[in-house]
Amino acid sequence: MQFSFDTNLNRIAEKVEANDRLTFDEGVELYNTQDLNALGKLADSVRRKKHGRTTYYNVNRHFNHTNICVADCKFCGFYRRARQDDAYTHSIAEGIEIARSAVAEGATELHIVGGLNSKLPFEYYTDLFSSLKREFPALHLKALTMVELDFFARFYKMSDEEVIERLKAAGMDSCPGGGAEIFAEPTRSRICDHKCDGDRWLELAGKVHNAGLKTNATMLYGHIESTEDRVDHFIKLREQQDKTGGFQCFIPLAFYPPGTALSSLPGPDAIDNLKTIAVSRLMIDNFDHIKAYWVMLGKATTQTALHFGANDVDGTITDGGELTHAYSVEEGGEQKMTRTELITMIENAGFEAVERDTVYNRVERATV
Ligand code: V47
């Protein structure tokens, strides 16, 4: 590939074509380019080499068991203190009813995350997972971030290995990618100083991988972080993946300011969203999947992101996800699409829609 507008990109393009790993400085250069089309074309070439025209989606539901949290993150509009009127914790019976309606709608995955709630015993989680598995053995439980696992180890005074093994034995099948935020200091401490640091997040991801479970990874961007912080984040994820290999998917999360302590910030624009998808595809060369999360990007940018390196759009997310509602950019906080709507969104962007389960096996259904 040859680019005449930003000729610096030609050197990077040669490396991408030769499957050579990009450096930190090259990551920053990619972000700084004004040639959005060239960046998109480069990222798309890698996406097409790995996945052709395939774009994955899944049928899932979010269950946020509690919004009570001790962490006080500046970017979060979801958490409440225990004494606030709208603080809640769902009972296990409520969790089962939410899962029941999800399964009835064809969900293959329940995405379970919540606040760091010091009022709950560890057995709440093991009972929740084992009860869900008893009722719905085929439903994949993608549950708990590295930040929650870190909190459990410290608060319930258990080793990391014991936390992971007990949750796995109860039914945890994999872990979502939340809580990664931005690894670089001092930025991380400025936005979330009450939760584990970046090294600890990565260490726990490695331990979950070593226990035989897959995890995802995210990056929260468009707040107070620098371009260098973002590229540092990509490189740290790439290094961890080299060591333990259990990351399936990277999901850049576009910061949504309303309702947060950082509400005066504008959040990222569409150009930044597309650049972040593309640069992550090029920098994190050992992750198979890059997800354009439609709830945060909006449907229009998600379709465009499929031409900028993304090959996954996540799911139907049939509501029940209070956290998702807190940052949905769609009108009225929309957080639900039918399978038909998702397929149409993907096909209208020029791709083949393929339903997957959480670990990227194809799902065949008799009817759409
Ligand atoms: O860790 C919180 C982010 C994450 C805001 O693994 C915000 O498949 C934007 O991790 N604006 C939770 N983002 C969501 C998450 C996720 C979502 C979808 C799929 C997967 C997966 C994981 O949401 C948090 C935080 O980084 N977040 N507040 C906000 N105001």
Side-chain angles (χ1 to χ4, degrees), residues 58 60-63 108-113 129 132-133 139-145 148 171-178 214-216 248-249 251 291 293 312 314-315 317 356-360:
N58 69 344
N60 63 348
R61 182 137 177 177
H62 285 219
F63 173 51
T108 58
E109 168 190 292
L110 193 63
H111 178 144
I112 307 173
V113 290
F129 295 171
L132 287 166
K133 278 291 173 188
L139 185 64
H140 183 109
L141 304 183
K142 184 178 80 178
L144 305 173
T145 65
E148 288 166 287
M172 180 174 81
D173 292 307
S174 70
C175 296
K214 300 288 187 193
T215 71
N216 290 339
Q248 301 199 100
C249 177
I251 310 125
K291 189 183 288 184
Y293 187 43
D312 193 321
D314 203 307
I317 318 175
R356 63 161 175 90
D357 64 13
T358 310
V359 291
Y360 289 86

Side-chain angles (χ1 to χ4, degrees), residues 177-235:
E181 322 310 359
I182 198 87
F183 295 140
E185 295 291 358
T187 311
R188 186 179 183 85
S189 292
R190 288 194 181 129
I191 58 168
C192 54
D193 61 343
H194 291 93
K195 67 187 187 196
C196 69
D197 68 13
D199 286 346
R200 174 76 175 139
W201 190 98
L202 290 160
E203 180 192 20
L204 271 166
K207 287 186 178 184
V208 175
H209 299 166
N210 289 338
L213 300 186
K214 300 288 187 193
T215 71
N216 290 339
T218 57
M219 175 180 78
L220 182 70
Y221 68 96
H223 43 91
I224 60 164
E225 86 290 359
S226 64
T227 301
E228 285 75 12
D229 290 345
R230 296 180 188 189
V231 177
D232 169 82
H233 197 90
F234 298 148
I235 288 183

